Amino acid sequence: MTAPAAPAALASLAAVLALTAALGAHGRRSARTTSDFLVASQGVTPLRNAAAIGGEYISAAAYLGTAGLVLAYGTGTLWLPIGATAGHVLLLAFVTAPLRRSGAYTVSDFAEWRLGSRAVRRAVTCCVCCVGWFYLLPQFQGAGVTLRVLTGAPVWTGWAVIVVVAVGLVASGGMRGITTVQAVQFWIKLAAVALPAVALLAIWHAGGGAAPAGDRPARFERTTCVHVHTDVTVTVRQAVTVTATGRLDGVRHDRAPVPLSPGPHTAGRGTELVFPPGAAIPHAERHTAPSDGMWAVPSGPPTWRGLYTTYSTLLGVLLGTMGLPHILMRFYTSTSGRAARRTAALVPGLLALFYAFPALYGTLGRLYTPELLMTGDIDATILVLPLRAAPGLPGALLAGVVAAGAFAAFISTSCGLVVAIAGTVTQRMRHRDGVTVFRIGVVLALAAPLAVLPAIGPRDAAELVVTALCVSACSLCPLLVLGIWWRGLTAAGALAGLAAGGGLSVAAGVARLACGPRAGWTAALLAQPALVVAPAAFAVMITVSLLTRRRVPRRTDGAMARLHLPEPAAAR
């Protein structure tokens, strides 16, 4: 299926890169000072800024991951994009305008300005780097998956594209250079996901409009050859005989019929399995998808561990959005606190418009791409679906359009994250040329995730992004909320809370990446610790601040007035 899609995918990639280069060159001509590089000289209008935020926030998880989650787990996962959009409502209500009035360039600047502590600044910088690096991982993996699925290229080629574009665009133009790029790329992503969706709906309707979920497990409708790209363990629900080529359950076969009994089976990298029509589709070990009878039920089967995971993930997404450094830096580019609030009010509407479509791809994927449940490559749903629903040139052209949006997502989000990390790390470095230091920070921002990628193996984009949001929810969110709304916060309380919340959430994320999926309550806590760690971080900050109440900075009253009074009054 990759052969007809390769030319269209490469043409789409070339078009996106050419447009990105042209827009970046336009912004680069006016980017000369450090203020241009960090906050675009605080002159971005609300609509343009909202589109740029949408371009940053619609990352690999939103573009690829949402469709994959719906394919595997059904409509019960739609609360995840809803929670992501709702997080911007909390951001609007509690953070945007006060943060813009502070006059700080970065979250670290805000922390030092509010609490007068270099130690707190360094702790916040560490948290920003961890959030950004976790968030960069799915962008690299998404780019690798896209090129592998549509062109057959090795995954590292996708990583290379992201690195080259990020270094070329961010290092040369900074925030001013990427603002127009991200704003335009939001509309590219919206069009690239909406137009093929309408075409695929028409194809589905013309084919009789079969329901994607029923009372039986998902089955192969025709003889299907499944190619395994990486070692995988699958759970067979019903006995079936397959034709195997490659290593299956540790035994090498050459187009031999192999009976598979119900239970787990291992398939080696490069193995091909041919399933007969009507065979129940095995599920990859890390995707314990429900049967079709529960797939269409939003709440899914109620279990204590399932409820904990759901609510913990939702809390992490809601609170984590409030602390995402690359989103927060966008509000520093607004002309005023009022403009920042208008920007934040527009973002949920733009995101809601986009999220209507990936869910549709996941639903249609149950009909046309059910074999992805077996390979575990659910992030490829949105890429493979056009080729399955419309074989030949029409499907290849639709896949090319989708690929253009996918690379726009990876590029815009990666550039925003790199600006946030580089700006935070280098803001206080003493150097004659601040722009040169910023460019060095760009390289450092990209080096850390690249060093980790080969070791963690294939991971779902949504899983990696939720990990980043969890770290943000347990560290930066408590600092921002308490720093903006409670005058009693002290540097000691902030440090203790950042160490507890940030340290525990980062440790859980690293353990998750190192150990892979596990079962039981321990695995649930490691995978989604926000429900426990985020309240603990708030509690630690408040308790330690109360114990050190005499160390509240003397300038706190003036800082609080600047955060909450209208800007003319605050200026007086």
Side-chain angles (χ1 to χ4, degrees), residues 312-399:
S312 186
T313 305
L314 182 58
L315 182 67
V317 171
L318 283 170
L319 299 184
T321 300
M322 298 173 65
L324 286 179
H326 62 301
I327 300 299
L328 293 174
M329 281 194 74
R330 274 275 154 222
F331 296 109
Y332 299 129
T333 67
S334 297
T335 56
S336 64
R338 179 177 296 178
R341 195 179 293 277
R342 289 176 179 173
T343 296
L346 291 170
V347 172
L350 296 180
L351 294 182
L353 183 62
F354 171 85
Y355 274 120
F357 297 102
L360 178 62
Y361 282 90
T363 304
L364 293 177
R366 295 287 287 194
L367 285 174
Y368 297 108
T369 63
E371 70 276 7
L372 298 179
L373 292 171
M374 178 189 165
T375 63
D377 207 7
I378 60 173
D379 283 344
T381 303
I382 197 170
L383 305 170
V384 178
L385 180 58
L387 301 172
R388 296 288 192 274
L393 182 60
L397 294 176
L398 291 176

Side-chain angles (χ1 to χ4, degrees), residues 158-169:
W159 309 349
V161 170
I162 296 299
V163 170
V164 170
V165 173
V167 170
L169 188 62

Side-chain angles (χ1 to χ4, degrees), residues 11 25 32 50 73 77 98 125 208 218 261 277 305-306 330 383 393 482 511 521 526:
R32 296 181 177 86
Y73 306 112
T77 58
T125 298
S261 59
R305 192 158 61 243
R330 274 275 154 222
L383 305 170
L393 182 60
L482 294 178
W521 272 105
L526 286 177

Side-chain angles (χ1 to χ4, degrees), residues 408-431:
F410 310 143
I411 290 170
S412 59
T413 303
S414 298
C415 288
L417 289 165
V418 170
V419 168
I421 297 172
T424 301
V425 170
T426 62
Q427 177 64 13
R428 284 298 183 186
M429 288 185 179
R430 304 300 180 184
H431 199 281

